[in-house]
């Protein structure tokens, strides 16, 4: 046996359970360390285990939970109350190094993996989380009677967007909160129209109801922050009779980490992250902010995207990310919110030059809202990969494409004024002598998404822009 | 089942709800 190398103030803590064969195997080692060192053993399932060691029964698993034990045996070196280092499973070399005791159980294999801690047992973990972390939550509890259908209760309370929602039990909300480092009581934003402070906890409730996974939560929080700014003006987006809602474009490596779809059917159904992030945001607006259709939401028609309209941008397309073009740090996870209506398809399967395709897209963009209305609405162009390739093959970048589109969207005032072409709608007569751009400077956003096959793009009309309406907002995601 | 309130919290004293077993006696529930 070697010398005790660690300082006298340090002590060792081991967490074990009898059910674990590796824990049984290292019993002689535990006895040896217990004899030679300041070793405290916590046993999860049997107070008589390990034999020959006076162990503490972690019968309620409180120690295991709070020490975040996920595997047994775990050997921890403590300096006072502070953990210095831990070893998971059996490794003679690591146990010797951590304990400062050489020559431990030479007859045992050099390594052996441990077993799952009882504190992470799927049958127990939700109950443990509720028991040990339930005090973090502040929302009022709503008791359902045994015979009540929980899904129907969600509808009856007006908490649904028209589709079933997941009941936000304490266990589910606590699990959701694991997705962020932010405290449940942190205020994320003040949500119109009722101007209610929404906490991380309430966002987590909405995320549960929407069907999110915990790793989506930071994205949901960031989008809530973004739409609740004066610039985005979610109150106006709600109250308008136009069919707009938050269109959410996500950028950064995190989009792939959480499985977002930027490819086939990116703007459509079928991807959990895309759909539930956008849905959770709308549930916050509805249930916390009080923004409900027919009340403050006065949309004449609305659009299906008001349930959720959220997608990721292609990570490696040649035009660079929308978020970076709007000031986000390179490579950062970020969201851009845009007040938009439903997408329309731009069909051009014959253009093989960038000039032709730009003209084709510009012709479609001109028709947004009305071919005779300009400057007051922004728009988003979502280039499909095959269309994007027509431009990139000719060396066009983001700036060039936007400039070429702007050039093609300079419209003589005589075509725009009220009465022109026999249409009463249009710009005031005073503009007849001017040439006007369809979009204000920076009013056309460019994103890239969609499947690899199809010479199509999508265009999304916006709502009233500038001070009277909504400005796109880009925010970096923080966990 | 016990769930968390998804709505904005009502001011203290408002929004108090009867326990679930009592709520069953509302007319709609009684008629079902």
């Amino acid at each position: 046996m070697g010398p005790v190398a660690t300082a006298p103030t340090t002590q060792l803590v081991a967490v074990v359970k009898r059910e674990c064969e590796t824990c049984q195997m290292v019993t002689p080692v535990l006895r040896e360390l217990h004899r030679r060192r300041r070793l405290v053993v916590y046993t999860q399932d049997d107070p008589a285990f390990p034999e020959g060691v006076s162990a503490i029964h972690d019968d309620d698993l409180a120690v295991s939970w709070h020490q975040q034990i996920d595997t047994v045996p775990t050997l921890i070196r403590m300096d006072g109350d502070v953990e210095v280092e831990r070893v998971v499973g059996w490794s003679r070399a690591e146990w010797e190094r951590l304990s400062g005791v050489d020559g431990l159980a030479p007859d045992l294999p050099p390594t052996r993996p441990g077993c799952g801690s009882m504190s992470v047992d799927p049958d127990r973990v939700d109950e443990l989380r509720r028991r040990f972390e339930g005090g973090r939550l502040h929302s009022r509890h709503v008791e359902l009677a045994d015979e009540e259908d929980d899904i129907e209760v969600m509808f009856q309370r007006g908490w649904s967007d028209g589709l079933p929602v997941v009941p936000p039990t304490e266990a589910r909300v606590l699990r959701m909160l694991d997705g962020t480092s932010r405290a449940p009581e942190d205020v994320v934003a003040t949500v119109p129209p009722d101007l209610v402070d929404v906490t991380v906890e309430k966002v987590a409730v909405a995320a549960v109801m929407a069907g999110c996974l915990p790793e989506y939560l930071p994205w949901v929080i960031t989008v809530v922050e973004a739409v609740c700014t004066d610039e985005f003006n979610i109150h106006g987006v709600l109250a308008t009779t136009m069919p707009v809602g938050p269109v959410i474009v996500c950028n950064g490596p995190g989009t792939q980490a959480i499985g977002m779809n930027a490819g086939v059917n990116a703007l459509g159904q079928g991807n959990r992250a895309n759909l539930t992030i956008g849905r959770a945001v709308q549930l916050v607006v509805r249930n916390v902010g009080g923004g409900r259709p027919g009340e403050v939401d006065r949309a004449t028609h609305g659009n299906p995207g008001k349930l959720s309209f959220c997608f990721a941008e292609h990570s490696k397309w040649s035009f660079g990310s929308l978020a970076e073009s709007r000031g986000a740090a390179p490579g950062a996870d970020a969201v851009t919110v845009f007040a938009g209506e439903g997408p329309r398809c731009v069909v051009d399967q014959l253009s093989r030059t960038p000039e032709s395709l730009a003209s084709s897209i510009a012709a479609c963009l001109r028709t947004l809202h009305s071919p005779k209305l300009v400057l007051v609405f922004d728009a988003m162009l979502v280039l499909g990969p095959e269309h994007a390739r027509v431009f990139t093959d000719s060396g066009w970048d983001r700036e060039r494409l936007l400039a070429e589109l702007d050039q093609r969207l300079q419209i003589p005032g005589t075509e725009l004024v009220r009465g022109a072409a026999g249409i009463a709608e249009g710009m005031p007569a005073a503009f007849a002598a001017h040439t006007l751009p369809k979009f204000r400077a920076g009013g056309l956003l460019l994103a890239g998404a969609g499947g690899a096959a199809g010479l199509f793009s999508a265009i999304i009309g916006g709502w009233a822009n500038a001070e009277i309406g909504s400005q796109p907002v880009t925010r970096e995601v923080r966990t | 089942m016990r769930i968390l309130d998804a709505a904005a919290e009502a001011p203290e004293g408002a929004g108090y709800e009867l326990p679930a077993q009592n709520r069953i006696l509302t007319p709609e529930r009684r008629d079902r």
Side-chain angles (χ1 to χ4, degrees):
Chain A
M1 294 288 176
V4 175
T6 48
T9 57
T10 66
Q11 73 172 16
L12 297 174
V13 175
V15 183
V16 297
K17 66 177 182 181
R18 180 184 289 280
E19 189 187 23
C20 167
E21 291 185 6
T22 303
C23 294
Q24 293 178 24
M25 186 191 80
V26 301
T27 294
V29 179
L30 295 169
R31 276 199 293 265
E32 178 67 16
L33 291 176
H34 191 254
R35 186 179 66 79
R36 296 174 56 90
R37 295 275 288 114
R38 300 175 63 201
L39 173 68
V40 177
V41 178
Y42 287 92
T43 177
Q44 293 184 331
D45 55 351
D46 182 352
F49 176 79
E51 288 79 6
V53 175
S54 177
I56 301 169
H57 189 197
D58 189 21
D59 53 347
D60 62 356
L61 298 172
V63 170
S64 299
W65 179 268
H66 292 296
Q67 296 300 321
Q68 299 179 309
I69 305 296
D70 57 19
T71 303
V72 288
T74 290
L75 185 66
I76 305 172
R77 194 170 89 206
M78 307 286 293
D79 187 354
D81 293 334
V82 179
E83 177 178 333
V84 178
E85 192 178 359
R86 70 172 60 190
V87 176
V88 171
W90 162 250
S91 162
R92 179 183 299 105
E94 290 296 292
W95 281 52
E96 287 179 348
R97 185 181 59 76
L98 197 73
S99 66
V101 177
D102 291 335
L104 289 173
D107 51 329
L108 295 185
T111 62
R112 186 165 178 181
C115 304
S117 165
M118 288 174 66
S119 54
V120 296
D121 182 337
D123 290 339
R124 290 185 172 87
V125 69
D126 279 348
E127 169 57 22
L128 293 173
R129 186 181 284 110
R130 191 196 61 73
R131 187 190 311 161
F132 296 124
E133 298 186 12
R136 300 168 68 202
L137 302 180
H138 302 284
S139 292
R140 189 177 61 141
H141 287 93
V142 178
E143 297 278 356
L144 309 189
D146 289 344
E147 69 274 21
E148 284 188 294
D149 184 310
D150 50 354
I151 302 298
E152 290 301 328
V153 167
M154 304 291 115
F155 282 110
Q156 289 160 6
R157 287 181 170 271
W159 291 350
S160 162
D161 50 10
L163 295 172
V165 293
V166 178
T169 60
E170 197 171 25
R172 287 181 177 132
V173 173
L174 286 167
R175 205 183 309 144
M176 183 62 63
L177 286 165
D178 282 350
T180 180
S181 61
R182 297 182 64 172
E185 65 273 18
D186 271 6
V187 174
V188 171
T190 302
V191 191
D194 292 347
L195 298 177
V196 175
D197 286 347
V198 64
T199 59
V200 169
E201 176 180 334
K202 284 292 185 191
V203 176
V205 168
V208 167
M209 292 167 65
C212 292
L213 289 171
E215 51 265 41
Y216 308 167
L217 184 60
W219 296 83
V220 178
I221 291 171
T222 306
V223 179
V224 169
E225 288 175 340
V227 301
C228 292
T229 55
D230 289 344
E231 292 79 14
F232 186 77
N233 184 12
I234 187 67
H235 192 158
V237 173
L238 272 170
T240 179
T241 47
M242 288 189 67
V244 291
V247 177
I248 304 159
V249 184
C250 300
N251 283 113
T255 60
Q256 293 168 292
I258 65 172
M260 291 194 74
N261 182 19
V264 173
N265 203 40
L267 278 53
Q269 84 286 17
N271 179 276
R272 183 175 181 179
N274 288 27
L275 270 291
T276 61
I277 290 171
R279 188 187 189 202
V281 172
Q282 290 284 35
L283 288 174
V284 169
V285 172
R286 175 189 181 89
N287 292 327
V288 180
R292 284 176 284 270
E295 299 176 24
V296 169
D297 186 337
R298 308 303 299 179
T300 306
H301 298 98
N303 88 79
K306 291 177 75 176
L307 278 169
S308 176
F309 194 163
C310 176
F311 62 97
E313 202 177 18
H314 277 305
S315 58
K316 292 179 180 170
W317 81 308
S318 306
F319 289 83
S321 96
L322 173 63
E324 287 178 29
S325 78
R326 296 179 46 77
D333 289 335
V335 301
T336 298
V337 292
F338 170 73
E341 56 184 27
R344 292 169 50 184
C345 184
V346 175
V347 177
D348 187 323
Q349 299 179 295
L350 300 180
S351 289
R352 295 293 181 268
T353 67
E355 292 81 7
S356 171
L357 186 54
S359 296
S360 185
I361 292 171
C364 293
L365 284 167
R366 181 177 169 175
T367 68
L368 284 174
H369 302 98
S370 164
K372 294 185 63 188
L373 292 176
V374 299
L375 286 169
V376 291
F377 303 110
D378 293 342
M380 181 180 292
L381 166 62
V382 185
L383 271 186
E386 286 207 304
H387 271 180
R389 193 163 56 244
V390 172
F391 297 117
T392 55
D393 283 352
S394 295
W396 287 25
D397 59 9
R398 171 182 293 272
E399 289 70 29
R400 173 81 186 273
L401 174 57
L402 290 173
E404 295 275 353
L405 289 170
D406 183 60
Q407 183 184 324
R408 288 161 171 78
L409 287 164
Q410 301 294 321
I411 306 167
T414 51
E415 298 178 19
L416 298 172
V417 293
R418 295 165 184 170
I423 300 170
E425 181 61 270
M427 302 299 287
F431 289 111
H434 301 275
T435 295
L436 299 176
K438 176 71 177 178
F439 302 111
R440 63 174 176 155
L444 179 60
L445 279 65
L446 176 61
L455 281 152
F456 310 121
S457 290
I459 53 177
I460 304 164
W463 182 50
N465 58 25
E467 298 300 317
I468 63 164
S470 178
Q471 310 269 26
V473 173
T474 297
R475 289 270 177 123
E476 292 181 18
V477 178
R478 64 185 177 110
T479 56
Chain B
M1 176 182 275
R2 203 162 75 134
I3 58 175
L4 297 178
D5 193 345
E9 299 293 302
E12 194 170 351
Y16 171 76
E17 296 207 13
L18 292 171
Q21 63 271 26
N22 294 338
R23 283 191 279 118
I24 290 167
L25 298 178
T26 59
E28 308 87 57
R29 294 180 186 284
R30 191 182 54 213
D31 293 345
R32 271 197 303 198

